[in-house]
Each structure stands twice: as C-alpha cells, then as structure tokens.
Amino acid sequence: MMTLTQDDWTAITLTLQLASIVTTILLIISTPLAWWLARSHRWWKAPVNALVAMPLVLPPTVLGFYLLVAMGPAGPIGHFTAFFGMNGLAFSFWGLVIGSCLYSLPFVVQPIQNAFQAMGNRPLEVASTLGAGPIDRFFSVIFPLCKPGFITGAILGFAHTVGEFGVVLMIGGNIPGETRVVSVQLYDHVESLQYDSAHGLALILILFAFFTLTGLFIVQRRQQTGMIVQE
Amino acid sequence: MHFTQHTSNANKEKHCDEGIHLTLKVPTSPYPFWESHRYYGYAASIKKRVKHTLVNTFASTVFSDKKTALPFSLSGQYRLTIETDIPGQGITAIFGPSGSGKTTLLRCLAGLECVPNSKVQFKGSVWQSPSQFIPPNKRPIGMVFQEPSLFSHLTVEENLRYAIKRAKPFPSHGSATPNSEINKNVINKKTLVELLGIEHLLNHNTKVLSGGERQRVAMARTLLTQPQLLLMDEPLSALDAARKQEVLPYLERLKEELNIPVVYVSHSVEEVSRLADHLMVIENGECTAAGSIHTLPLSPSVHFQSESQQAVIIDAFLSERDTQYGLIKADFPGGHLWVKDSGNALHSPQRLQIQAKDVSIALTEPSNTSVLNRLPVVITEIRSSSNAMATLVLTIGNDDNHSTQLLAQVTKRSVDNLGLQTGMPVWAMIKSIAIAR
C-alpha cells in the first residue's frame, strides 16, 4: 500500500528543508518582535499585533495572491530583485521561504510573546542589579526562563510550515525539487487518482502532526507544572 | 571574618562626598531602565563609549538632548519629590506607610526606574543627572527585593555563582590606582554562606526552599556581587512572623560583619528600631523627617511611631554581669541600666528600646520601690500630646556630648500635681527595657 516514489522523497526532503529554514529565520525575527509586543506601551502596538496575527484568520490564498503580485515582474519585490540582477522570487524556493515566514509568523511570535509576558520584569531587574548587561540578561535569564515558549514557537512554526498548502500553491506553483512540497505532491497524487501514493504521504503527515503535537503538549505541561511549583 | 577592612579604609580616604545625594522627581509612570534612551536619547550611551574622541563632539551636536522635553511634566504630577542626602555609613531606614514612595526611592537609587530631571550621586560619582544615566548593571549596588526572586532555572549554588561571575569591580573614585584585585574577594562566599546559614541548601533547587531560606540565599547572592551600597526593599515583609524572626538575626549579623552602607526600606517599627542607625520618614512622596535613630524619635513632628508606642533607642555597651540575679549592666553616655541577661557577651554593643509609657517620674530619689532602674534626669521639654497625656523629653547626664535622651509619658494631671517644668531635675523610673537586639 505504501509506495513512495523518488518524487515523494524529493518532496519530503524539500519540505523539511523549507520548514527548517523558515523556523530558523522566524526564531530570529520573532524574538525582538515578541519582546517589543510584550513590553511596548505604544499605541501602534495593537495594529502591529493584528498584522502579525492576521495569517491566523486570513485565507492563505489572499496572502499568496498579494505575494505573487508583489514578487511578480511588475511588483515592488520583483522590481527590487530585477534591479539587483536576481531572478524573480515567484515560483522559486526562496519565494516560498518568504511566503512561509509571513504565514507562520504568528505561530512563532505568540508563544514567545506569552512567555515574555509571563516572565515579568522582576527577573530582568534582579539580573541587572546583579551586574548583567542587556545581552548577558538575554542569554542568562530571558532565554532559559522562556525556553518553553521558544520551543513551542519553533515546533508550531515548523509544523505549520510543513502543513501549508494554499500559499505554496499560489506563489510556488508545482516545480519538482524546487517548490513541490509534500502537501502539493499529495494533491497531485489525488488529482491523478494515484490513491496508493496519496495514502502513503497522508499517513506520514498524520503521524508527523500527531507526534509533533504530543511533543508540544509535553513541553507545555512541563512548563505549567514548573510554574505551580514556583509559587 | 575579616572582610571589612577595605570599606573602612575607603571611608577614611574620602573626607568629602561621603554619602548619597538624591534629587528625585518621579512621575506617576516612569520608564523602566532599559528604556532610558527615551529620556537621554542614544547620545548619552554613545558619548560614554566614545569619550575623548571626535565622535563625542559629533554625537553631542547631532543627537543633542531632544528628548528632555517631557509630556508628563506638563501635568505636574509626581509620585515622589525628594531632595535629600543619605549617610554613606550604617543602615539608613526609609520608613513610611505603604504607597508613600519608599520603594520608588530605592528603585531610583538602584537605577531601575529611569526618571528625568533627577540627580543621584553616590560618594562623588554621578549615577544619574539630567544628561547621564548609569544603568543598574553598572552601578556598584546590591539589591534585595521584597520577594526573594531567585532564578528558578538555577540551583542555589548556581544562583550564587551567577553573582560571583558578575561581581562589580570597585570604581576608582578618581584615584589613579584601581585596586580591584585586593577588593575582588572582600566578601567571600564561604564566610557569607556560613554567616547566613545556607551551606546545607547549596545543592538544592530553589523551588524546594522555604520563604526565609530563599530570602537568605537572595541576600547572599546580592552581597556576592561585592556591592558598595546595599539596597533592601522590605526584605522581610513577604515572610510570616516566624520566618521574620528567623531572618532578622542574620540581618543583624550582616550589619555587624559588613561595613557597607545599607538603605533599608520598611514600614515595620520593629525592624527599623532593631536595625537602623539613621531614619528617613517618607509620607505622600515627600521626606518629612530625617536624622539619627537616637534623636529623631524625640522630635514631635515625626510620625515614626504612634503616640502610645513612642520610644527611644539607646545603643549601650555591656560592661558587667550580675550572675546571681541574671542581670547585665548596660552603659550608655550619661548613665547605665541593669537589664535582663540575655546571654550576650560582655563588652559587646547592645541596643535597648525604652518606651515612653514605661518611664515614670518622681521628684525625689525613690528608695522604696521595686523599680530597679532609677536615673537622675533633667526635663528638657514638656509636650502635651493628646487630651490627657503629656510627653516629657528627659536628658540623662549633664555634659552635652555625654548625655542620652529619654521620653516619658505621664498624665497632664501629674505634670500639674508635681509642678513639672522645663529644666527641673527629677528622677526617672524605668519599668521595663526591651532588648532590641
């Protein structure tokens, strides 16, 4: 029943590659963004929060459509890439990375933001009176105390990128080894009535989702019990 | 335990700029220290890094302090307005009711609140001025918070090592020789761990510690950064009565062993009378009184104690033991008292607290009385406090430099019946003396 072709394996590798790159980029972007969202009192914090959270409620096709327009030869990103003599980002792996970053952003930002908020200012104040500078504070206090938030963010970002379909279809198209990720490959199988192959990929995705989420809830439970003991 | 030498030497060297100078105007919602650039711009920090370079001139012209015009000063609302000096030695208690601004003062001193138009100066070095803000991690301070605030991701030992790793070097105070090597281990871990009785906890997770234990670990951690100024924000108030009694003796030992100035915020009369050398009373964001713990309770304007609890604090010296009756003689300038022997060593200091209501007056030396402590005194002031009562200020000893003052609370009828007047020599009978330490 489970017959994975060479194409299927290529799609799986590509998906994992994409998800790893996107997760790494998102962790780097989300940390300062989440910090700002957790600490700022500026009035424009709410709109920024909404912008970050928008992919949660928007159909992926909307985001995909605008990205396609922007990355196309006539769009602003298209002009930018053309100016620097690069190929267009639409229908390319890196276009997919950008789209996935935007689309998975809230899944990484929000857990980290929550962790920052739950931590409060006190550990930072203590650390600074003990002589820790800003960078020292981040690595010696903020990161260890908010580690569950970072782990949750990373897991959700990774899993969500693996499971993404709409944005990929809109801006990535269906180029084998370049933009054809697992979800698109599965769609192709179904389209061409290759149900056996579709079963194989679908089962892999289900197992992946199940174990990822189990891992996630273990992390979260540990975080909660940790908090209870702390009180 | 010999970690006191440096500080005392340092104090001798510095004849001027001994203490802490504060001018604070704290708005209702100050920014946290990591947003200091909102007041000072990035220029202050840039200037600091590139001092004595051309960029300095560039920075000051380009980023001149545009941000000093502040929105809230228009409203004129301040949580705390204070201009004061805090002695650079001993324990200064900041005393006042909850919400009076005590903690805010301490946080400004630590640099945790970034407040504009304010000045904080410690022993000659400027920590904050309208053009400069030194962040808390660069101030030679140690702070003990109300809640113990140990890092929960580290064990007790690791919490202590966190502080040791980041121990603050002594600033040179303008002198050319930074003697940081000598001072590096002024407070060493082993001694401190013994002093605070936490050696058995070192390998524990902070989560299993009791409140009192956590606070002791937090104190050790703070002291291991080798602070030159220790700030304590109601360190005992989060503890129950029993834990408080457990930690207080450790605080007293710290006071005896370490020669660091301490600013101690408290609303507890008991803690203040046991620990403080100086007292500063804060009410509604203003300093209403400041002075020595021995003289300040004498002044009528101070709401340090309620009228019925008025008391004086006397630092005495134990000189003689009466083993037959279990008494010990406590000498103080102008006289002596016999107090219950609580087992303290002879020739050691002893703080006594005498409540005004425990002192009564006789015109002649009372001979047939059970009251053991009878002292010849002179009435220096008669204050009518409430309807029926009057408070007398009494001076023991006739030499100005060698006298001690007492408070006595008597009825106004007795004042009239005995014909008590200022300047009159009388006898004070002291019914009970609390050993404050």
Side-chain angles (χ1 to χ4, degrees), chain A residues 122 125-126 128-129 136 140, chain B residues 107 147 153 162 166 168:
Chain A
R122 185 45 55 86
E125 294 180 348
V126 173
S128 65
T129 58
D136 189 2
S140 66
Chain B
R107 291 174 60 84
E147 328 81 66
H153 61 289
Y162 190 97
R166 292 164 179 81
K168 293 162 186 180

Side-chain angles (χ1 to χ4, degrees), chain B residues 275-345:
Chain B
L275 296 167
D277 299 309
H278 314 280
L279 189 61
M280 188 161 127
V281 185
I282 292 190
E283 279 167 299
N284 297 323
E286 274 168 50
C287 174
T288 49
S292 147
I293 186 85
H294 305 300
T295 55
L296 197 66
L298 301 167
S299 74
S301 60
V302 174
H303 308 291
F304 166 51
Q305 298 132 325
S306 69
E307 208 165 84
S308 60
Q309 285 183 321
Q310 281 185 318
V312 287
I313 286 150
I314 295 175
D315 278 333
F317 187 77
L318 302 176
S319 64
E320 200 182 319
R321 187 164 254 147
D322 181 347
T323 40
Q324 192 187 345
Y325 292 108
L327 294 172
I328 200 157
K329 190 177 167 194
D331 287 335
F332 55 86
H336 67 263
L337 292 164
W338 285 93
V339 297
K340 236 184 278 170
D341 189 351
S342 52
N344 288 359

Side-chain angles (χ1 to χ4, degrees), chain B residues 239-266:
Chain B
L239 308 177
D240 58 45
R243 297 274 157 266
K244 215 177 266 192
Q245 292 311 320
E246 171 199 320
V247 180
L248 255 175
Y250 290 111
L251 276 179
E252 285 163 359
R253 284 171 72 183
L254 283 180
K255 183 187 173 178
E256 283 161 31
E257 301 294 339
L258 310 172
N259 199 7
I260 316 174
V262 180
V263 181
Y264 188 102
V265 162
S266 179

Side-chain angles (χ1 to χ4, degrees), chain B residues 29 111 122 170 204 261 278 294 333 335 367:
Chain B
S29 53
F122 175 75
F170 279 71
H204 285 51
H278 314 280
H294 305 300
S367 51

Side-chain angles (χ1 to χ4, degrees), chain B residues 328-367:
Chain B
I328 200 157
K329 190 177 167 194
D331 287 335
F332 55 86
H336 67 263
L337 292 164
W338 285 93
V339 297
K340 236 184 278 170
D341 189 351
S342 52
N344 288 359
L346 277 183
H347 312 298
S348 65
Q350 173 76 63
R351 177 167 279 194
L352 307 171
Q353 190 184 20
I354 301 171
Q355 300 229 319
K357 63 179 185 212
D358 290 333
V359 180
S360 48
I361 300 294
L363 289 179
T364 55
E365 177 167 14
S367 51

